[in-house]
Amino acid sequence: MSSTVYSTAMSALDVLVALLRRKDNQTTQQVSPLHALIIGIDKYKSGLIDNLRGAVADADAIASYVRNQLKVPQAQIINLRNQDATRHAIIQALKGLRDIASIRHNDPILIYFAGHGSTAPCPSGWHSSDGRIQLIVPYDALTRDASTNHLIEHPETGKGDNITVIFDCCFSGSGTRDSPPVSVDDPTLLERGFESTTAVSALLDKNIWGAVPCDRALSIAAGFAHTGSKSHVLLAACGDGETAKEHRGRGLFTTVLLDALNSLSTDKTTYLDLMKRVMDLPDQTPQCEGEHADRILFNARAPSKARTTHRVIRRDGAYIIDAGEIQALTPNMKFAVYSSPIFTTEDQSLGTLRATVVHPFTTDAVLTEPFGALATIPDSTSLFALQTTVGRGYSMKLYIPVDPRLHSVFEAAARELETHYPTQLPILFVDDAEKAHLRIALDESDDAVRYEIGDPLITRFGPTRLLGTTPLDAAHVQPVLHAAAHFFQYLHHSPKKNLLRKKVTVEVPRLEASGEVDDNLYDTMQPASEPSLVVDGRVNVEADGKTKYGVTVKNDFNAPLFVSVFFFDCGTLSIQPYYISPVASRHVPSLPGKGMLPIGYGDGGGRPYNYTLSPGEDIELGFLKIFISTQFVDLREIRQSSPLNGERVANENVPSPAPVWDTITIAIVQRRKTAPA
């Protein structure tokens, strides 16, 4: 579409409709900027190295995720498997990433390796804390074809620092031919690492690592842990001294990592947030290293939608989805059905369910598109539903001005909506700026996009814009639009009838030290003697970064309730959990009947919060949103990180041991021993 379109009298809404109706959309699909090098090695050339069974399958699963979830074209993925993953081929592939002209500075690069890792004695002139260095093991390691293993501690591509490195291997273990499997009873349980006694040359690949700036070169010999690297973020299967394992043909770390990636939106999640979602592994502690570990995944340049599955219950021939109105489900939503919550995007679903009647916590559904023999699957088989279409719920109203400089942003938004939301738009484009929840505008410098807020729920308190801008580029704007749609949907999400709030009250007290300490020697907090700070639905807090605040939820019903509390930051679009009912206590309500739940003090859980202002700001706004229910509902999917990397208004107050001391005095009473009578 040429920019002359924008010189006509067409409204922004007209342009959107025209874009969605174009017949050549299939040839203009937005291309992800991410490039990937994905390596998986099961079979090794040397008879000294034990073969694996799941590294290639893991690499294939990562490649599938990159293609289908991140929408990366096959031409931008380098796959090396088994005999193709020689030392020379890996080095050439890394150099290739550096030389590809289509990779612009700070475009996302993913390097994934599954196979054996190893350690070797530190070469002369290199330094490490334990005298050893860490290596990955190529296909031709320990043969005459390869001088030795290849160390890629710092993948230097010259393409910026938006590099993600994932290693499903370890650097110790017993992965050699003379060692049995980890478990004699289960030969499919294998370790992905071994220790080598062969030292590498001090000059090996000096032409590569010798060109790295000094601050990085100094850490090359120190191994992968705690490098604080600026060049990349490293996600590793385990810590130093631990072993990475595979079981039944799949790596334990890659399996749980993919499950977490599929359950999150990459354009709203930081690396640290991702690792919090990676479930604990037996004897493995997954690691996240790098100076930019708090950055959004792939620096928000390769967005994907979250994949949330819900359990499906079959009862008397009917299908019931274990989610309802509280999770924003609506009638006519469609769901693909799988036999497990862990699946790849290439797995065929068992069928398609359509929501008919949505209840508060469950949804009735009918089978519309069966595949195979779904009706013959035993009732004992677990089924899980993945939402595939957007329903008729809340839509964020978005205004984009008709301006040639916003051409690429506007057209990309239209293609994105058509690709991912073919039946119902989660974002409603409007041509009246006054009716929009969010407005896109050009910054004064004309090379950045700013975001103006039009939602009266927010503007009546003062703030009228998001804190931060993004480059004038669709890849940076799209994550903000996705996060904003999620933010406004749940900010306004409420039941049709408010039946609980009449007897549930919320107080926000200022907290002060009680003069006591808990079992961890932290000061215990208690509400100040002043009244609750909530007045007419608002709280004025001191944003000094020091004053601590808590939340008190009181229940005047006889029946107990479940509570989850989130903080919606209107300046950054982040949604932080203040308190979430523990999953492990799903049968124990957090708010007792005729009782109270203290958050940030007492025995209710959580920590106090304080508030700060961003530089140059005099007022900022956030909302506490309390979800109350008579049944346990896991609402963790509501939370999101800021797509703007902005400062958080609410800061969790992490305590340190109180400066207290004490003595214990015991009397020693000395008596003369008396003779026995």
Side-chain angles (χ1 to χ4, degrees):
M1 177 183 292
S2 68
S3 59
T4 56
V5 171
Y6 293 95
S7 64
T8 70
M10 293 178 69
S11 69
L13 188 58
D14 293 330
V15 176
L16 173 68
V17 173
L19 283 168
L20 292 177
R21 290 178 177 174
R22 285 177 54 173
K23 295 182 180 180
D24 61 342
N25 272 327
Q26 293 300 319
T27 62
T28 59
Q29 290 296 316
Q30 185 177 359
V31 176
S32 169
L34 185 139
H35 287 68
L37 168 60
I38 302 175
I39 306 166
I41 307 174
D42 280 337
K43 301 183 183 303
Y44 284 86
K45 187 173 184 179
S46 171
L48 300 174
I49 304 174
D50 196 11
N51 286 332
L52 298 170
R53 304 183 183 184
V56 169
D58 287 344
D60 290 345
I62 291 289
S64 174
Y65 170 81
V66 169
R67 286 195 312 271
N68 295 287
Q69 293 295 98
L70 302 184
K71 309 299 180 185
V72 176
Q74 184 62 51
Q76 294 172 201
I77 304 173
I78 303 172
N79 283 298
L80 299 178
R81 305 286 189 271
N82 290 332
Q83 67 273 12
D84 295 329
T86 63
R87 176 179 177 275
H88 176 74
I90 294 173
I91 294 175
Q92 292 304 113
L94 288 168
K95 289 181 177 179
L97 291 175
R98 177 193 62 196
D99 299 333
I100 295 175
S102 61
I103 303 180
R104 299 175 300 175
H105 187 72
N106 277 340
D107 271 355
I109 295 173
L110 170 65
I111 300 171
Y112 174 87
F113 175 84
H116 276 302
S118 182
T119 59
C122 194
S124 176
W126 291 29
H127 303 282
S128 71
S129 59
D130 60 359
R132 302 184 70 80
I133 58 172
Q134 297 175 332
L135 315 157
I136 67 169
V137 182
Y139 165 76
D140 53 349
L142 302 185
T143 67
R144 292 184 178 182
D145 298 338
S147 300
T148 184
N149 305 341
H150 176 56
L151 172 71
I152 57 169
E153 155 69 25
H154 287 283
E156 180 65 20
T157 67
K159 296 294 187 177
D161 60 10
N162 191 11
I163 303 170
T164 305
V165 180
I166 303 175
F167 285 159
D168 195 345
C169 63
C170 59
F171 305 99
S172 61
S174 57
T176 53
R177 289 293 188 186
D178 58 354
S179 301
V182 176
S183 171
V184 177
D185 296 331
D186 187 353
T188 69
L189 184 60
L190 304 173
E191 291 177 347
R192 290 183 174 179
F194 59 88
E195 295 189 8
S196 173
T197 58
T198 304
V200 301
S201 168
L203 300 179
L204 179 67
D205 296 330
K206 186 176 180 180
N207 61 319
I208 299 175
W209 58 260
V212 179
C214 182
D215 67 322
R216 297 180 188 173
L218 287 175
S219 65
I220 284 181
F224 292 101
H226 312 298
T227 62
S229 172
K230 297 179 181 178
S231 66
H232 64 278
V233 175
L234 171 71
L235 307 181
C238 58
D240 287 343
E242 298 178 335
T243 55
K245 300 178 183 66
E246 64 172 50
H247 188 220
R248 296 181 179 176
R250 288 300 302 272
L252 300 183
F253 173 63
T254 297
T255 298
V256 296
L257 180 67
L258 279 172
D259 187 39
L261 282 169
N262 279 310
S263 68
L264 297 166
S265 295
T266 56
D267 52 4
K268 306 173 190 174
T269 306
T270 68
Y271 290 93
L272 293 176
D273 290 335
L274 170 66
M275 296 307 283
K276 291 177 183 177
R277 297 293 298 274
V278 173
M279 62 189 299
D280 294 336
L281 295 172
D283 304 320
Q284 281 184 237
T285 309
Q287 304 291 305
C288 179
E289 299 288 346
E291 190 166 304
H292 301 300
D294 58 349
R295 177 185 284 172
I296 298 292
L297 293 174
F298 313 115
N299 206 12
R301 298 298 303 278
S304 72
K305 291 179 60 183
R307 186 179 81 182
T308 302
T309 58
H310 306 291
R311 190 166 58 96
V312 178
I313 303 168
R314 282 178 293 172
R315 185 178 300 151
D316 299 328
Y319 297 91
I320 302 172
I321 300 173
D322 190 21
E325 291 175 349
I326 193 169
Q327 288 103 337
L329 269 58
T330 61
N332 295 315
M333 277 184 174
K334 289 187 177 181
F335 302 81
V337 181
Y338 296 88
S339 59
S340 169
I342 302 176
F343 54 87
T344 69
T345 52
E346 294 177 342
D347 291 338
Q348 186 180 43
S349 68
L350 299 174
T352 299
L353 294 176
R354 178 177 59 84
T356 54
V357 181
V358 181
H359 306 285
F361 309 122
T362 61
T363 297
D364 298 338
V366 295
L367 184 65
T368 61
E369 299 175 16
F371 291 101
L374 177 62
T376 64
I377 294 178
D379 289 342
S380 59
T381 301
S382 298
L383 297 178
F384 297 87
L386 171 69
Q387 183 181 332
T388 57
T389 65
V390 176
R392 300 181 179 275
Y394 173 87
S395 294
M396 180 188 72
K397 297 177 181 178
L398 175 67
Y399 173 78
I400 301 180
V402 179
D403 189 310
R405 292 168 293 180
L406 289 171
H407 177 146
S408 63
V409 175
F410 198 176
E411 188 168 15
R415 287 199 303 266
E416 176 79 5
L417 291 171
E418 183 196 29
T419 301
H420 293 291
Y421 308 103
T423 59
Q424 193 72 33
L425 304 182
I427 299 175
L428 179 63
F429 285 76
V430 296
D431 53 8
D432 184 349
E434 298 300 319
K435 295 181 180 179
H437 294 102
L438 191 70
R439 299 185 289 266
I440 286 182
L442 286 173
D443 195 58
E444 290 76 6
S445 60
D446 282 351
D447 61 356
V449 174
R450 69 175 187 270
Y451 303 87
E452 300 173 349
I453 300 173
D455 188 341
L457 180 63
I458 298 173
T459 57
R460 69 190 181 102
F461 293 105
T464 59
R465 61 181 176 83
L466 298 183
L467 301 175
T469 61
T470 59
L472 185 56
D473 183 286
H476 287 90
V477 174
Q478 286 296 83
V480 179
L481 298 186
H482 292 167
H486 179 85
F487 183 92
F488 285 104
Q489 178 186 32
Y490 280 100
L491 179 62
H492 289 275
H493 189 44
S494 185
K496 296 177 182 178
K497 292 184 178 180
N498 304 115
L499 301 177
L500 296 178
R501 66 174 62 175
K502 61 184 179 181
K503 286 194 174 185
V504 176
T505 57
V506 179
E507 298 177 354
V508 178
R510 182 175 60 84
L511 302 179
E512 60 185 13
S514 67
E516 302 290 337
V517 294
D518 62 16
D519 291 343
N520 296 313
L521 292 181
Y522 298 151
D523 280 324
T524 59
M525 308 301 294
Q526 65 183 12
S529 57
E530 62 197 19
S532 169
L533 302 177
V534 180
V535 179
D536 295 330
R538 74 164 69 184
V539 176
N540 293 313
V541 300
E542 296 180 29
D544 56 7
K546 298 179 181 179
T547 306
K548 301 176 180 64
Y549 298 90
V551 176
T552 307
V553 185
K554 296 182 177 180
N555 181 13
D556 199 34
F557 287 102
N558 293 324
L561 298 168
F562 292 87
V563 173
S564 292
V565 182
F566 296 88
F567 179 80
F568 287 68
D569 185 341
C570 299
T572 67
L573 298 178
S574 70
I575 306 175
Q576 302 177 58
Y578 257 45
Y579 176 88
I580 297 180
S581 294
V583 176
S585 303
R586 61 175 60 237
H587 300 298
V588 182
S590 48
L591 180 59
K594 297 295 184 179
M596 59 178 284
L597 172 65
I599 301 173
Y601 69 97
D603 61 357
R607 291 173 175 167
Y609 278 78
N610 54 46
Y611 299 82
T612 59
L613 293 174
S614 301
E617 300 297 323
D618 294 323
I619 183 172
E620 294 181 14
L621 178 69
F623 287 92
L624 277 182
K625 184 137 189 175
I626 297 90
F627 289 80
I628 314 160
S629 59
T630 55
Q631 296 181 21
F632 171 82
V633 182
D634 188 353
L635 297 176
R636 289 175 296 175
E637 298 302 327
I638 293 178
R639 61 186 176 184
Q640 73 175 4
S641 300
S642 170
L644 298 166
N645 290 324
E647 294 291 333
R648 291 181 172 181
V649 176
N651 302 291
E652 187 174 8
N653 189 270
V654 180
S656 58
V660 298
W661 68 286
D662 206 344
T663 64
I664 299 175
T665 303
I666 300 176
I668 304 296
V669 180
Q670 305 170 70
R671 295 180 182 274
R672 186 183 303 277
K673 183 177 181 181
T674 59

